[in-house]
Amino acid sequence: MSSMNRREFLQMLAAASVAGVALDSRSLLAAENADALYELPKFGNVHFMHFTDCHAQLLPIWFREPSVNLGIGGAFGKAPHLVGEHLLKAFNIKPGTREAHAFTYLDFAEAARIYGKVGGFAHLATLVKRLRGQRPGALLLDGGDTWQGSATALWSKGQDMVDACKLLGVDMMSAHWEFTLGDKRVQEIIDKDLKGRIEFLAQNVKTTDFGDPVFPPYAMREMNGVQVAVIGQAFPYTPIANPRYMIPDWTFGIQDENMQKMVNEVRAKGAKVVIVLSHNGMDVDLKMATRVTGINAIMGGHTHDGVPQPITVKNSGGQTLVTNAGSNGKFLAVLDFDVRNDKVQDFRYKLLPVFSNLLPADPGMAAYIDKVRAPHITRLEEQLAVTEGLLYRRGNFNGSWDQLILDALMDVKGADIGFSPGFRWGTTLLPGSAITFEHLMDQTAITYPYATLNEMKGERVKVVLEDIADNLYNPDPYYQQGGDMVRVGGMSYTCDPNAKAGNRISDMRLNGKPIMAGKTYKVAGWAPVDPTAKGEPIWEVVGDWLKDKKTVSARKVNVPKLIGMKGNPGIA
């Protein structure tokens, strides 16, 4: 639905008044000021648009922001570790508004029904074209996690997203989950599809034998008479967070020294604006900005943080803006620079929520999406069950979608304990919604989906939890190597994020009784990085369980008891 004009809006108000609806009803006001939201005056002469972590979501979706995103140590109380009212206050966003809904979990189900779905490549395309029309030469940057996250992306080995990005007009990209398609498939896409169209950039991916660059580290363009450079930074811990066997001949890592070398190189070639297109995660980007000089802005992804304004980081060479543009196609960032006398004089930044009912669908993109979905539509729309509760994923410790997966996995496998990966991707479903096969695939569509059952001693269970907790809460961001905390079913535990490595997890219990170090437990899981692991795909396990249930009650989300987090603005 396109945004209505003022006359249509007044007619709707008049009709509502006759019907006895309060004129200040939020459902009516949701339709007002649509044009104002996307009215972004051109500023300066160098322009970038940025989206990241869309996870192959071609259609509009619901996506609930986290109610737990804890910051510890130096990250305490700072973006991106602010949720709910704390985030609204920090960025001066009025509660109860469309923007408050976009950036927080507050009143999510109610607000989602009022404001509608977000994202969708057809609606994003309309916004990109509108902004490009006002900003000659603007570059569209894709932060990665683009070719994975849906059924059609999995089945087409990323092809549906590659073609969608070409149609969208992406100029440059970096990557993370793309690599789980395997090195040969990534190279095939670059050679056959991206060449001459989209620059695939990563300064930190090298060959294991001679340390040669696998991809171009940067790309340079002249924009309105100004030389600009974009340096790519792939996810540094891909071989740890995902299966190593999929990329056996490539090394990753943060590689600050090489990043500084690349910045110096593009500056020497005349770049007046230097952007790092990063998939580090925001905390890593904030640290990198203190160590590498000469970067004007790091446009970041990976941690899915929708941060309304840039964080300015001072360093020995001046300052660097650090941004993060959310996930699932929900936001489009716009960064404008005013460059005069060979220097950046000023900038403007806006993170625009993509509300699909306020932006008309681009006809060409909509037709493309219909075409790639058509052969699979019957399977995608198969109804598995109905959910009585809100199903969401994002949060440091658990989500109701994760809980549903755990409940199904443990039930089917006859397990004492269940582990589900701390993936941040995955769409949201409102209470009363049908759960389709497509919705299930939104949570599980990976190239190593095997469901497993293993015997594990209690001491091993603790080691697993401690290792993952350190990935999340190591005080040095450069040692934070994965997603959120592993989701745990069946057992309870206590977590102290501020404790030292190896001492964060305590009081592990199963059915109220302490888990014994030497006792063996049956542990179900999925998404093993071990190349020898086998099992049925997780979507078959959960899909059959859902079809048997037909209706799924609201999930009681199993989260640990937390120590030392009282007053932390990263928790609701």
Side-chain angles (χ1 to χ4, degrees), residues 512-524:
K513 297 176 182 174
I515 288 178
M516 310 302 290
K519 188 175 176 182
T520 298
Y521 300 88
K522 288 191 288 184
V523 181

Side-chain angles (χ1 to χ4, degrees), residues 62 384 387 389-394 398-408 420 425-430 434-444 487 526 542 545-546 555 557:
W62 283 296
L384 305 176
T387 177
L390 179 72
L391 291 178
Y392 63 91
R393 169 165 274 170
R394 183 72 216 279
N398 209 344
S400 50
W401 250 122
D402 299 295
Q403 190 63 54
L404 184 150
I405 291 169
L406 283 166
D407 292 346
S420 188
W425 46 273
T427 58
T428 301
L429 270 185
L430 300 187
I435 304 173
T436 65
F437 184 70
E438 181 167 27
H439 296 140
L440 176 57
M441 291 299 283
D442 286 350
Q443 317 299 319
T444 58
R487 283 63 170 105
W526 68 283
V542 179
W545 183 85
L546 285 169
R555 299 289 97 182
V557 178

Side-chain angles (χ1 to χ4, degrees), residues 260 263 267 274 285-298 311-322:
Q260 186 67 70
V263 174
R267 288 286 183 189
V274 178
D285 286 336
L286 289 165
K287 180 174 177 178
M288 177 179 274
T290 68
R291 293 163 65 99
V292 181
T293 61
I295 300 169
N296 294 102
I298 301 176
I311 309 303
T312 302
V313 178
K314 291 186 168 25
N315 53 49
S316 62
Q319 66 180 37
T320 298
L321 305 173
V322 177

